[in-house]
Amino acid sequence: MQGCAYVDGRYVAPEDAKISIFDWGFLHSDATYDVAHVWQGRFFRLDDHLDRFEASLAALRLDPGVDRATMRAVMHECVRRAGLRDAYVEVLCTRGRPAPGSRDPRSCSNRFMAFAIPFVWIATPERQREGIDLVVGSRRRIPADSVDPRVKNYHWLDFVMGLYEAYDRGAETVVLLDGDGRVTEGPGFNVFAVYADGARPRVVSADAGVLEGVSRRTAIELARDAGCDVQLRALPLDEFRRADEIFLTSTGGGVIPVATLDGVPVGGRPRGVFGPVSQRLQQGYWALHDDPRHVEPVRY
Ligand SMILES: Cc1ncc(COP(=O)(O)O)c(C=O)c1O
């Protein structure tokens, strides 16, 4: 596997990037992480990812033992050593191992790690041209007051079982509802609905119970710039089903149009034909990868 990892203060090949099975990151999913991407040799919105990672660390009372400048330098160095132009770059911090015989998280030494591997798509460009087949999972999202979804975490069993449900139903991914039946998010992405019935398009996405995605923020900014009425609020399922357009946002692919929801074509469109807002935001998302305000060249 092409890539490079940083573990215990050393750069290693991906196959040598290992942690102890006694690390609570593994035993209890006690960890946080963030994923930025490099596209054509440049990081996209790296500071937004580092801001979110630092906020997640603080929320979980984790101390990575390195400062922000070091995290940034390690991310650059992983990409440089891996020789990647398009990369998926993850930073993570686990709780580590407690003192022998202890179950006290305060006795753990937290561990900072990072890696860069070839770009990972939520949906490949080919699939994006056709549009994603999305289902609404029957399993509810972990409640936000139990595991805060704004802190990027590995509590993914709701999503993973949701993915199996999607595959069983002939789709490729899943969106989960919260306990009140409102749309939240899916494995690795935020979800948007677009309504074309007013004077200007309404773009709706959940304001709570979701990770505040960096690509979500990009889509919101692009939609506002395009004159859309952006509404961040609860999105009930029946309203979601009436959407003229649905798209997903993720670092793993940007703005990704959805073709079908529970097997029904979104907006009644034939496969591969997308609404104007999804198209415009998708193009705008990639155009921003040439905008010096948002990109940072990798120090190769
Ligand atoms: C649960 C969840 N929601 C949303 C997202 C999208 O966030 P971003 O746009 O920052 O990639 C992710 C990304 O991994 C995620 O894991």
Side-chain angles (χ1 to χ4, degrees):
M1 181 189 197
Q2 196 184 356
C4 175
Y6 179 83
V7 185
D8 292 333
R10 290 192 312 125
Y11 293 97
V12 294
E15 52 275 18
D16 297 320
K18 296 182 179 149
I19 64 161
S20 163
I21 62 165
F22 300 107
D23 188 317
W24 280 15
F26 174 70
L27 287 179
H28 300 316
S29 296
D30 186 347
T32 189
Y33 73 110
D34 217 287
V35 177
H37 74 225
V38 166
W39 190 250
Q40 296 177 348
R42 292 174 293 189
F43 278 99
F44 185 61
R45 301 193 82 150
L46 180 54
D47 273 303
D48 292 335
H49 288 283
L50 288 172
D51 286 346
R52 186 172 65 185
F53 185 52
E54 289 187 330
S56 296
L57 290 166
L60 297 186
R61 303 171 71 154
L62 286 164
D63 176 5
V66 290
D67 62 12
R68 185 179 175 113
T70 305
M71 292 176 198
R72 182 189 296 271
V74 166
M75 293 172 90
H76 275 265
E77 184 64 8
C78 284
V79 180
R80 189 189 74 77
R81 288 183 183 235
L84 292 165
R85 305 295 298 176
D86 302 324
Y88 174 107
V89 189
E90 177 158 338
V91 275
L92 57 145
C93 183
T94 64
R95 188 73 58 194
R97 290 163 63 171
S102 171
R103 292 179 65 83
D104 183 340
R106 294 169 301 182
S107 74
C108 293
S109 9
N110 305 160
R111 300 173 81 219
F112 170 75
M113 292 160 248
F115 61 84
I117 55 175
F119 195 93
V120 179
W121 296 93
I122 291 270
T124 60
E126 298 71 52
R127 285 298 301 132
Q128 290 197 29
R129 275 193 281 283
E130 297 196 352
I132 298 297
D133 296 309
L134 180 70
V135 295
V136 178
S138 54
R139 184 181 299 262
R140 296 296 159 100
R141 181 83 176 106
I142 296 172
D145 55 1
S146 298
V147 176
D148 184 350
R150 292 169 305 173
V151 175
K152 209 162 153 66
N153 65 74
Y154 294 127
H155 292 260
W156 265 48
L157 284 179
D158 51 356
F159 286 146
V160 173
M161 298 325 291
L163 280 172
Y164 276 102
E165 182 179 348
Y167 304 148
D168 289 347
R169 292 167 57 189
E172 60 203 296
T173 196
V174 67
V175 58
L176 300 185
L177 306 178
D178 68 14
D180 295 320
R182 299 176 307 202
V183 172
T184 65
E185 59 189 339
F189 54 82
N190 292 106
V191 179
F192 287 75
V194 181
Y195 302 87
D197 49 0
R200 54 194 186 123
R202 267 180 297 129
V203 174
V204 184
S205 193
D207 61 339
V210 295
L211 181 75
E212 290 171 356
V214 173
S215 342
R216 169 184 181 270
R217 183 184 309 173
T218 307
I220 291 167
E221 291 167 2
L222 287 165
R224 286 191 177 131
D225 288 350
C228 297
D229 173 14
V230 176
Q231 301 180 1
L232 302 178
R233 58 168 171 82
L235 177 57
L237 179 57
D238 54 348
E239 185 182 350
F240 187 53
R241 291 201 189 284
R242 292 195 302 271
D244 294 306
E245 302 177 35
I246 295 174
F247 62 86
L248 317 177
T249 59
S250 173
T251 294
V255 173
I256 303 169
V258 172
T260 65
L261 179 66
D262 287 336
V264 179
V266 176
R269 286 188 197 81
R271 183 171 287 283
V273 177
F274 304 116
V277 175
S278 305
Q279 285 185 47
R280 181 165 181 172
L281 299 192
Q282 191 177 39
Q283 286 160 8
Y285 177 84
W286 290 106
L288 280 181
H289 287 63
D290 285 324
D291 185 330
R293 286 176 306 158
H294 291 314
V295 297
E296 176 172 319
V298 174
R299 299 173 208 143
Y300 287 108

